[in-house]
Amino acid sequence: MPADHDDETRDDTLRQAIAELRRPVALDPALEGRALARIRAGAPTHRIGSRRGLLWLGGALAAGIALALLVRPPTGSPARPGPTLATAGTQPTRAVLIRLAAPASSRVTVVGDFNDWDPAATPLRPVGDSGTWTVELHLKPGRYHYTFLIDGRRWASDPSGAPAAESDFGAPMSVLTVG
Amino acid sequence: MRASRLLLLFLLCGAAPAVAQDRRLADRLDPTTATTVQRVVDSAAREGLPTEPLVQKALEGSTLGASGERIVAAVGALHGQLVRARDALGGGASEAELTAAAGALRAGLPPAALRRLQSLRTGRPLVVPIAVLTDLVAEGVPPEEATRSVLDLARAGRPDDEFMALRQQLRAGREGGMPGPGSRPPLRPAPDPPVDQ
């Protein structure tokens, strides 16, 4: 069948459909009357655009946004506060002095359950020329695993702390209990 | 109204995954390990278990240069210990108590010891007694003896400081030249303080 004939047939069908759709629809006069009566009476409708629908929509949006803000940590920061922010928690914290004698070292940091095991988060400061390094942590009650990183390359447990019974990854490990 | 309710449901469902997402895992672990650990974390959350210890275990492995396989194994093992700890202490235990109890079970202490301790410390925190019990065992005290000493303190209603003192007693004994746990005198709770007349 030629293509031109196909086009003509399609156009004809389309014209008939349009004409049918344009024909006025005769409504039941009683139905029209009931509808007008409801509009005059101000009966509520269930469209989203109605006032009540808008209230629901607003409430839903507010609830969703509030929930998302509550459960999502701020971008770029961990969910758990770092050691300097630990006092901001609802539970009381206790000051804990961490100390290590490392006389021949140029840099000492401590990593543990309290600082997301971040080697840059908690550096110790040297106490004069004594070779001792210290830092004060503020921790909630709990049991924490930790270890020292000396000069960025050597792990060391805390000689004055309790040794950890277990070390999952082979590094020397200590445990700290805060009551 | 129905459309609004559907929208609310959609928003709630859309927000729900954010509860389980932890950017620290994605930032610090390779994608496969992060996904697997996240599944364990999600599972723990659904079970009502603390999730932070699991995240910390994964971050520990990452910092210490462990393989993804080893990290997943350690996180999975800790999840199992937390389940057992919750079974022992019940759903009312705090995150810190469950974490301490998981360590105690890993050290070889029986769940019954934790339950007994809990029954003797009703309404008081269990973190320190459990931690001291674990430390005693870790330092070589036989579990039965360590349990007896800690339960004696708990039975007497002693404060946390006295549990810590019990551990210091052991350390002092070791630093004083005691050759080993076998020749160590038994641990004793501190005597009762004098009563003012």
Side-chain angles (χ1 to χ4, degrees), chain B residues 52-110:
Chain B
E52 186 60 22
L54 300 168
V55 173
Q56 290 301 326
K57 181 57 71 182
L59 298 179
E60 176 188 343
S62 166
T63 295
L64 296 177
S67 67
E69 194 176 324
R70 203 164 169 188
I71 290 172
V72 168
V75 170
L78 179 55
H79 175 255
Q81 288 150 14
L82 288 168
V83 170
R84 291 179 60 215
R86 204 257 311 274
D87 289 347
L89 297 181
S94 69
E95 174 176 329
E97 288 171 336
L98 287 179
T99 307
L105 294 170
R106 178 172 181 172
L109 287 155

Side-chain angles (χ1 to χ4, degrees), chain B residues 1 19 22 46 58-59 64 66 72 88 132 135 156-157 181-182 187 193:
Chain B
M1 186 162 12
V19 176
D22 196 310
R46 282 194 297 273
L59 298 179
L64 296 177
V72 168
V132 168
D135 290 346
L187 292 167

Side-chain angles (χ1 to χ4, degrees), chain A residues 46 48 53 56-57 60 67 71 76 78 80 113 116-117 141 143 155 159 161 163 165-166 168-169 173 177 179, chain B residues 1 3-5 7 11-12 23-24 28 52 56-57 60-61 63-64 66 70 106 128 131 134-135 138-139 164 171:
Chain A
H46 297 291
I48 287 181
W56 263 97
L57 180 61
L67 188 66
V71 299
R80 186 193 179 96
D113 294 328
D116 285 346
W117 295 87
R143 184 171 162 81
W155 299 108
E166 72 285 346
D168 285 305
F169 306 111
M173 198 66 60
T177 300
Chain B
M1 186 162 12
S4 305
R5 284 178 178 162
L7 181 61
L11 286 169
L12 291 175
R23 285 194 58 234
R24 292 172 294 176
R28 303 262 296 270
E52 186 60 22
Q56 290 301 326
K57 181 57 71 182
E60 176 188 343
T63 295
L64 296 177
R70 203 164 169 188
R106 178 172 181 172
V128 170
T134 308
D135 290 346
E139 298 212 33
M164 300 291 253
R171 290 185 69 83

Side-chain angles (χ1 to χ4, degrees), chain A residues 20-173:
Chain A
E20 187 65 26
L21 288 170
R22 279 181 174 165
R23 261 186 350 142
V25 178
L27 289 174
D28 177 4
L31 174 65
E32 195 172 352
R34 284 197 304 273
L36 286 171
R38 288 198 70 172
I39 291 169
R40 286 190 198 102
T45 66
H46 297 291
R47 290 183 299 118
I48 287 181
S50 70
R51 183 180 298 176
R52 194 165 171 184
L54 283 172
L55 281 174
W56 263 97
L57 180 61
L61 279 169
I65 291 166
L67 188 66
L69 287 174
L70 278 174
V71 299
R72 196 188 297 273
T75 305
S77 68
R80 186 193 179 96
T84 55
L85 298 176
T87 51
T90 52
Q91 269 188 296
T93 59
R94 288 187 69 166
V96 177
L97 187 68
I98 300 284
R99 182 196 306 263
L100 180 72
S105 309
S106 59
R107 190 159 50 101
V108 179
T109 64
V110 61
V111 291
D113 294 328
F114 41 78
N115 67 0
D116 285 346
W117 295 87
D118 180 355
T122 316
L124 278 71
R125 281 186 292 275
V127 181
D129 295 328
S130 64
T132 299
W133 299 70
T134 63
V135 67
E136 187 177 88
L137 305 175
H138 295 269
L139 301 174
K140 294 175 184 175
R143 184 171 162 81
Y144 302 89
H145 286 76
Y146 68 103
T147 188
F148 294 106
L149 179 59
I150 300 172
D151 292 337
R153 54 186 162 78
R154 185 164 64 87
W155 299 108
S157 60
D158 186 350
S160 61
E166 72 285 346
S167 176
D168 285 305
F169 306 111
M173 198 66 60

